[in-house]
Amino acid sequence: MAVDYRGQPITNQTAFTTTGIMNRKPAAVKPPKLGNIKQPMPKIEEKELAEERIPQINLENLRDEDKRILNIHLTPSLKNVFSRIFGQDIFPEFGISENTVSIPTSIIVDRFGSINDFKTMIQRDETNVPPSQGIMTSPQTTTV
């Protein structure tokens, strides 16, 4: 014979499980009356959207270093992106006229040893010596 937690014998009235009373069918679930259910009305708040503003950018306060960086890195494609975002060319006097290639510093250091070695290698040689000084003239030939 089974007993409950108090030591009393289990009967049909006290035979509980975690899902209900033993040896009894659960009560039938009645469906709700859908006619009594009201649809909730969403609250719509109309907010006034701010006028589309053109950004006011003061480029006169830029440091010379900032201007130099803009001139180096502001490519035509980047200027086009900024024009689409802001609706106008916000950097008309800055930038270069040709596209550039960006290479991560880690690749340059791995390949060439240091940034300075890379700069030295790609630096343009602008020390042209005129041929009249004799350094770059062609060798003299003698006719016999």
Side-chain angles (χ1 to χ4, degrees), residues 76-87:
S77 56
L78 188 58
K79 285 181 84 167
N80 287 337
V81 171
F82 284 147
S83 294
R84 275 188 245 126
I85 292 171
F86 296 112

Side-chain angles (χ1 to χ4, degrees), residues 105-124:
T105 306
S106 60
I107 292 176
I108 293 174
V109 171
D110 288 346
R111 191 86 153 146
F112 300 100
S114 71
I115 298 293
N116 287 334
D117 291 346
F118 178 72
K119 286 180 181 178
T120 303
M121 186 189 83
I122 64 168
Q123 188 174 20
R124 292 182 180 158

Side-chain angles (χ1 to χ4, degrees), residues 14-116:
T14 60
F16 287 97
T17 66
T18 56
T19 58
I21 298 176
M22 289 175 51
N23 298 328
R24 280 198 195 157
K25 290 185 178 181
V29 178
K30 296 179 183 178
K33 295 180 181 178
L34 297 178
N36 295 339
I37 298 177
K38 296 179 181 176
Q39 292 290 334
M41 297 298 290
K43 294 180 181 178
I44 300 175
E45 295 180 23
E46 292 185 20
K47 295 181 180 179
E48 291 184 24
L49 298 176
E51 293 180 19
E52 187 175 332
R53 292 189 231 159
I54 297 174
Q56 300 296 322
I57 298 173
N58 187 2
L59 300 176
E60 295 171 1
N61 295 336
L62 285 177
R63 298 177 304 177
D64 289 339
E65 179 67 13
D66 296 335
K67 291 177 183 179
R68 185 185 70 78
I69 289 173
L70 275 175
N71 276 327
I72 292 171
H73 296 289
L74 199 57
T75 63
S77 56
L78 188 58
K79 285 181 84 167
N80 287 337
V81 171
F82 284 147
S83 294
R84 275 188 245 126
I85 292 171
F86 296 112
Q88 67 177 2
D89 186 7
I90 57 175
F91 301 110
E93 66 270 8
F94 294 107
I96 56 176
S97 60
E98 62 181 337
N99 286 324
T100 60
V101 177
S102 296
I103 303 172
T105 306
S106 60
I107 292 176
I108 293 174
V109 171
D110 288 346
R111 191 86 153 146
F112 300 100
S114 71
I115 298 293
N116 287 334

